[in-house]
Amino acid sequence: MKNRRLLQFSLFLGVLYGVFLSVSIDACTTVLVGKNASVDGSTMIARNEDLNTAWSKHFVVRKENTNPSHFVSKGNGFTLDLPKEQLKYTATPEWDTSEGLFEEDGINSKNVAMSATESATTKEEILKKDPYTAHGIAEDSMLTVTLPYIDSARAGVERLGKIVAKQGAAETNGVIFSDKNEIWYMEILSGHQWAAVKVPDDCYAVIPNMLSIDSFDLKDKDSYLCSADLESFLEKNQLINTKRDISLRDIFADKSKDEKYNLPRIWDAQRKLTPSKKQKITDRSFEMFIKPDKPISIAETAYIMTLHFNGTEYDTIEGTKPDKYRPISVPNTMESHILQIRNNVPEEISGIHWLALGIPDTSNYIPFYSNISETPEAYQKGTDMPDDISAYWTYRLTNILTKPYYSDFKKNITLPTRQKVRDHLSKELASTDQQARELIVNHPEKLTDYLNQKTQSFADYAIDAYQKMNQELIVKMSEKTATHHDKDL
């Protein structure tokens, strides 16, 4: 996620937070879980979309064959002729699309998921050899021109790769594709060069804002893909002397921020998912793909997205050295998603777009079947100013109200409510799966309407619980207002 523009924070947020929080140029954190590393055989790709503390994201369904035949980016003028046939897909666009759609994440009707992007930085000396293209593809356009036109994760890499090779890229990014069998992680390395690697089924990966593909085999076309002229580019510029197990990270990555900004996030997640591997936050390298000590669930993936060095001196909320390292969870997360493609249910209900608006540490991941045809109205509202109707501001307000008395409010109010909602949704999802199975067999024409109805009920239950909790938080906060007078007078 790039810093799209400078936005002023509202006085309302400034007062409640106590300070204005800076926005980093590079943001977001990605987590990938292979199907054999998950509890139920699902593939899972997750990312925190970080930019601003007061910037609503919407959640929509784009119907099939509704995209324009000629796409023009409002961000940088990138243009592309689009295929006539377009799949339906879910997406989380900006509330204000005047500078681009930034649809970011979604699942299409072929059960292919995409999340874009994880911003990274390329060495200046590389960019001199292959500079960015001003009107090349960038984050604001990426999902819109790719996800509706692919039928597998690998096809996603190939389609986006062709666009980068032909029209160039405007920035360095990591992009994720998944289907029920595979996850592919792709990196746009420079103006026209890209590479992608298939995530091992029994591993997971945590990717911060850095080029992460290390070992890369130019000859293995089953597990590695790249731009057609990557090998010749490397040879021409004397960047390699072998064609196997080359380190693209060493060649392309600007590592100047890694020690404090990127690597600590990998450590924080790996210490939770693979505690048997003893590592230090100061280590200068971590395995990109690593096996978990036990299979990973949706709840555990969600927990990783909330980490802020919990329980250490570096905890950014309660630690003694909160400014030392950049955590996974930050105050400027606008939405967090987990795109799950399940293998233990019929294809019609395989895709689940788990969405937490606002900061996942205090928000909740709501399960949306990707086979819905509409989203709840509250998820289509919200701007850069607070309101009492949008889902975004309901969840954002919870974080604002929890933060001033975090230890007390998180433990005694926010966490119990979050757990109550999570338990309810877990039971409802299982029940809905069962009813949906019966509809698929007996009344398939009724399935989409049923999923729309159930998804609406999931969202309504969670929003209602959070709105009531927000009222309680306001009351408890008012009780803590300091008094400076003789209480007997």
Side-chain angles (χ1 to χ4, degrees), residues 154-170:
R154 185 184 180 107
V157 173
E158 292 170 342
R159 174 170 172 79
L160 182 55
K162 288 178 181 177
I163 295 172
V164 171
K166 183 178 180 179
Q167 296 184 236

PDB file of all heavy atoms in Angstrom, residues 154-170:
ATOM      1  N   ARG A 154      -2.233 -19.282 -10.872  1.00  0.00           N
ATOM      2  CA  ARG A 154      -1.135 -19.178 -11.835  1.00  0.00           C
ATOM      3  C   ARG A 154      -1.516 -18.274 -13.011  1.00  0.00           C
ATOM      4  O   ARG A 154      -0.698 -17.468 -13.467  1.00  0.00           O
ATOM      5  CB  ARG A 154      -0.768 -20.571 -12.338  1.00  0.00           C
ATOM      6  CG  ARG A 154       0.457 -20.590 -13.253  1.00  0.00           C
ATOM      7  CD  ARG A 154       0.715 -21.985 -13.801  1.00  0.00           C
ATOM      8  NE  ARG A 154       1.883 -21.987 -14.670  1.00  0.00           N
ATOM      9  CZ  ARG A 154       3.056 -22.501 -14.365  1.00  0.00           C
ATOM     10  NH1 ARG A 154       3.249 -23.042 -13.171  1.00  0.00           N
ATOM     11  NH2 ARG A 154       4.058 -22.459 -15.224  1.00  0.00           N
ATOM     12  N   ALA A 155      -2.761 -18.378 -13.453  1.00  0.00           N
ATOM     13  CA  ALA A 155      -3.220 -17.524 -14.554  1.00  0.00           C
ATOM     14  C   ALA A 155      -3.188 -16.058 -14.158  1.00  0.00           C
ATOM     15  O   ALA A 155      -2.961 -15.182 -14.997  1.00  0.00           O
ATOM     16  CB  ALA A 155      -4.638 -17.934 -14.976  1.00  0.00           C
ATOM     17  N   GLY A 156      -3.413 -15.773 -12.867  1.00  0.00           N
ATOM     18  CA  GLY A 156      -3.325 -14.400 -12.381  1.00  0.00           C
ATOM     19  C   GLY A 156      -1.924 -13.843 -12.526  1.00  0.00           C
ATOM     20  O   GLY A 156      -1.736 -12.697 -12.973  1.00  0.00           O
ATOM     21  N   VAL A 157      -0.929 -14.641 -12.154  1.00  0.00           N
ATOM     22  CA  VAL A 157       0.464 -14.222 -12.307  1.00  0.00           C
ATOM     23  C   VAL A 157       0.774 -13.959 -13.774  1.00  0.00           C
ATOM     24  O   VAL A 157       1.396 -12.951 -14.130  1.00  0.00           O
ATOM     25  CB  VAL A 157       1.419 -15.297 -11.740  1.00  0.00           C
ATOM     26  CG1 VAL A 157       2.874 -14.942 -12.053  1.00  0.00           C
ATOM     27  CG2 VAL A 157       1.220 -15.471 -10.249  1.00  0.00           C
ATOM     28  N   GLU A 158       0.341 -14.873 -14.626  1.00  0.00           N
ATOM     29  CA  GLU A 158       0.652 -14.755 -16.049  1.00  0.00           C
ATOM     30  C   GLU A 158      -0.017 -13.538 -16.676  1.00  0.00           C
ATOM     31  O   GLU A 158       0.608 -12.838 -17.497  1.00  0.00           O
ATOM     32  CB  GLU A 158       0.226 -16.038 -16.766  1.00  0.00           C
ATOM     33  CG  GLU A 158       1.069 -17.238 -16.367  1.00  0.00           C
ATOM     34  CD  GLU A 158       0.521 -18.563 -16.878  1.00  0.00           C
ATOM     35  OE1 GLU A 158      -0.675 -18.606 -17.238  1.00  0.00           O
ATOM     36  OE2 GLU A 158       1.292 -19.545 -16.908  1.00  0.00           O
ATOM     37  N   ARG A 159      -1.267 -13.264 -16.312  1.00  0.00           N
ATOM     38  CA  ARG A 159      -1.952 -12.092 -16.883  1.00  0.00           C
ATOM     39  C   ARG A 159      -1.290 -10.795 -16.433  1.00  0.00           C
ATOM     40  O   ARG A 159      -0.983  -9.922 -17.243  1.00  0.00           O
ATOM     41  CB  ARG A 159      -3.435 -12.076 -16.495  1.00  0.00           C
ATOM     42  CG  ARG A 159      -4.141 -10.796 -16.952  1.00  0.00           C
ATOM     43  CD  ARG A 159      -5.639 -10.841 -16.796  1.00  0.00           C
ATOM     44  NE  ARG A 159      -6.240  -9.535 -17.078  1.00  0.00           N
ATOM     45  CZ  ARG A 159      -6.453  -9.059 -18.298  1.00  0.00           C
ATOM     46  NH1 ARG A 159      -6.134  -9.768 -19.365  1.00  0.00           N
ATOM     47  NH2 ARG A 159      -7.000  -7.858 -18.460  1.00  0.00           N
ATOM     48  N   LEU A 160      -1.058 -10.670 -15.128  1.00  0.00           N
ATOM     49  CA  LEU A 160      -0.441  -9.446 -14.626  1.00  0.00           C
ATOM     50  C   LEU A 160       0.980  -9.303 -15.157  1.00  0.00           C
ATOM     51  O   LEU A 160       1.422  -8.191 -15.487  1.00  0.00           O
ATOM     52  CB  LEU A 160      -0.450  -9.451 -13.094  1.00  0.00           C
ATOM     53  CG  LEU A 160       0.115  -8.214 -12.415  1.00  0.00           C
ATOM     54  CD1 LEU A 160      -0.578  -6.937 -12.892  1.00  0.00           C
ATOM     55  CD2 LEU A 160      -0.011  -8.346 -10.892  1.00  0.00           C
ATOM     56  N   GLY A 161       1.686 -10.426 -15.279  1.00  0.00           N
ATOM     57  CA  GLY A 161       3.042 -10.384 -15.808  1.00  0.00           C
ATOM     58  C   GLY A 161       3.101  -9.852 -17.227  1.00  0.00           C
ATOM     59  O   GLY A 161       3.994  -9.068 -17.588  1.00  0.00           O
ATOM     60  N   LYS A 162       2.144 -10.250 -18.052  1.00  0.00           N
ATOM     61  CA  LYS A 162       2.103  -9.763 -19.436  1.00  0.00           C
ATOM     62  C   LYS A 162       1.845  -8.258 -19.479  1.00  0.00           C
ATOM     63  O   LYS A 162       2.410  -7.540 -20.311  1.00  0.00           O
ATOM     64  CB  LYS A 162       1.013 -10.502 -20.210  1.00  0.00           C
ATOM     65  CG  LYS A 162       1.357 -11.943 -20.525  1.00  0.00           C
ATOM     66  CD  LYS A 162       0.211 -12.635 -21.248  1.00  0.00           C
ATOM     67  CE  LYS A 162       0.551 -14.105 -21.537  1.00  0.00           C
ATOM     68  NZ  LYS A 162      -0.587 -14.808 -22.191  1.00  0.00           N
ATOM     69  N   ILE A 163       0.993  -7.782 -18.565  1.00  0.00           N
ATOM     70  CA  ILE A 163       0.704  -6.340 -18.523  1.00  0.00           C
ATOM     71  C   ILE A 163       1.955  -5.567 -18.137  1.00  0.00           C
ATOM     72  O   ILE A 163       2.294  -4.542 -18.736  1.00  0.00           O
ATOM     73  CB  ILE A 163      -0.441  -6.054 -17.534  1.00  0.00           C
ATOM     74  CG1 ILE A 163      -1.741  -6.687 -18.024  1.00  0.00           C
ATOM     75  CG2 ILE A 163      -0.620  -4.542 -17.342  1.00  0.00           C
ATOM     76  CD1 ILE A 163      -2.880  -6.632 -17.024  1.00  0.00           C
ATOM     77  N   VAL A 164       2.667  -6.063 -17.115  1.00  0.00           N
ATOM     78  CA  VAL A 164       3.894  -5.391 -16.661  1.00  0.00           C
ATOM     79  C   VAL A 164       4.933  -5.383 -17.781  1.00  0.00           C
ATOM     80  O   VAL A 164       5.587  -4.364 -18.035  1.00  0.00           O
ATOM     81  CB  VAL A 164       4.456  -6.076 -15.403  1.00  0.00           C
ATOM     82  CG1 VAL A 164       5.839  -5.524 -15.064  1.00  0.00           C
ATOM     83  CG2 VAL A 164       3.509  -5.889 -14.225  1.00  0.00           C
ATOM     84  N   ALA A 165       5.108  -6.513 -18.452  1.00  0.00           N
ATOM     85  CA  ALA A 165       6.120  -6.607 -19.506  1.00  0.00           C
ATOM     86  C   ALA A 165       5.807  -5.672 -20.673  1.00  0.00           C
ATOM     87  O   ALA A 165       6.708  -5.043 -21.238  1.00  0.00           O
ATOM     88  CB  ALA A 165       6.208  -8.047 -19.998  1.00  0.00           C
ATOM     89  N   LYS A 166       4.521  -5.557 -21.019  1.00  0.00           N
ATOM     90  CA  LYS A 166       4.147  -4.757 -22.176  1.00  0.00           C
ATOM     91  C   LYS A 166       4.041  -3.271 -21.875  1.00  0.00           C
ATOM     92  O   LYS A 166       4.517  -2.433 -22.651  1.00  0.00           O
ATOM     93  CB  LYS A 166       2.811  -5.262 -22.742  1.00  0.00           C
ATOM     94  CG  LYS A 166       2.368  -4.533 -23.998  1.00  0.00           C
ATOM     95  CD  LYS A 166       1.065  -5.106 -24.535  1.00  0.00           C
ATOM     96  CE  LYS A 166       0.610  -4.366 -25.796  1.00  0.00           C
ATOM     97  NZ  LYS A 166      -0.660  -4.927 -26.340  1.00  0.00           N
ATOM     98  N   GLN A 167       3.420  -2.927 -20.736  1.00  0.00           N
ATOM     99  CA  GLN A 167       3.132  -1.526 -20.453  1.00  0.00           C
ATOM    100  C   GLN A 167       3.936  -0.945 -19.292  1.00  0.00           C
ATOM    101  O   GLN A 167       3.868   0.255 -19.035  1.00  0.00           O
ATOM    102  CB  GLN A 167       1.633  -1.338 -20.173  1.00  0.00           C
ATOM    103  CG  GLN A 167       0.791  -1.674 -21.403  1.00  0.00           C
ATOM    104  CD  GLN A 167      -0.687  -1.398 -21.177  1.00  0.00           C
ATOM    105  OE1 GLN A 167      -1.509  -2.283 -21.330  1.00  0.00           O
ATOM    106  NE2 GLN A 167      -1.021  -0.176 -20.817  1.00  0.00           N
ATOM    107  N   GLY A 168       4.674  -1.785 -18.621  1.00  0.00           N
ATOM    108  CA  GLY A 168       5.519  -1.314 -17.540  1.00  0.00           C
ATOM    109  C   GLY A 168       4.754  -1.154 -16.229  1.00  0.00           C
ATOM    110  O   GLY A 168       3.520  -1.155 -16.192  1.00  0.00           O
ATOM    111  N   ALA A 169       5.520  -1.011 -15.146  1.00  0.00           N
ATOM    112  CA  ALA A 169       4.955  -0.813 -13.813  1.00  0.00           C
ATOM    113  C   ALA A 169       5.368   0.552 -13.284  1.00  0.00           C
ATOM    114  O   ALA A 169       6.455   1.050 -13.589  1.00  0.00           O
ATOM    115  CB  ALA A 169       5.434  -1.904 -12.858  1.00  0.00           C
ATOM    116  N   ALA A 170       4.494   1.139 -12.489  1.00  0.00           N
ATOM    117  CA  ALA A 170       4.765   2.468 -11.935  1.00  0.00           C
ATOM    118  C   ALA A 170       5.386   2.402 -10.552  1.00  0.00           C
ATOM    119  O   ALA A 170       5.776   3.433 -10.006  1.00  0.00           O
ATOM    120  CB  ALA A 170       3.471   3.279 -11.880  1.00  0.00           C
TER     121      ALA A 170
END
